[in-house]
Amino acid sequence: MEQLNLEEIRKEINGINDEMLKLFIKRMELSAQVSRYKKAKGLPTLDRKREEAILQNVVDSTPERYRPYALEFFKEMMKLSRDYQDSLK
């Protein structure tokens, strides 16, 4: 397999970044819906059991060499989601 040059690698990374941004925006839009639901039901923003389940799935689904980075990525994403939900209340 031929190795990509730096420009090709960066172009591919840019495409992935674009896809990730679209997914992030969609996730935040869904977080707003979750916030409205929780507000209507008087539920707290943090659902510790759900977050623990998500993180366990990350552990189970991620190759070991990437696991600490994937965990940090998901922890930060969930924190941002909680912060956004709190800003809507």
Side-chain angles (χ1 to χ4, degrees):
M1 183 168 91
E2 186 178 325
Q3 190 171 0
L4 300 175
N5 68 39
L6 184 58
E7 185 177 317
E8 293 168 331
I9 294 167
R10 287 181 173 164
K11 183 177 178 181
E12 194 166 335
I13 287 173
N14 289 344
I16 291 168
N17 287 345
D18 291 345
E19 290 177 48
M20 288 175 64
L21 181 56
K22 288 175 189 173
L23 291 171
F24 176 76
I25 291 167
K26 184 173 182 172
R27 191 180 196 289
M28 294 301 272
E29 290 169 348
L30 292 168
S31 290
Q33 292 179 34
V34 168
S35 179
R36 286 191 292 274
Y37 178 89
K38 287 180 176 181
K39 183 178 179 182
K41 302 288 184 182
L43 298 171
T45 301
L46 176 60
D47 183 342
R48 196 171 307 279
K49 286 184 180 181
R50 169 135 171 88
E51 289 196 10
E52 288 171 1
I54 290 169
L55 294 175
Q56 186 59 55
N57 184 58
V58 171
V59 167
D60 295 342
S61 303
T62 305
E64 190 173 346
R65 68 183 179 269
Y66 304 130
R67 196 169 294 147
Y69 309 104
L71 282 169
E72 189 64 31
F73 175 75
F74 273 82
K75 286 177 185 178
E76 186 63 26
M77 186 171 50
M78 289 187 293
K79 180 193 175 301
L80 292 169
S81 180
R82 285 192 311 274
D83 290 350
Y84 179 57
Q85 289 180 44
D86 286 339
S87 78
L88 298 174
K89 291 184 176 185

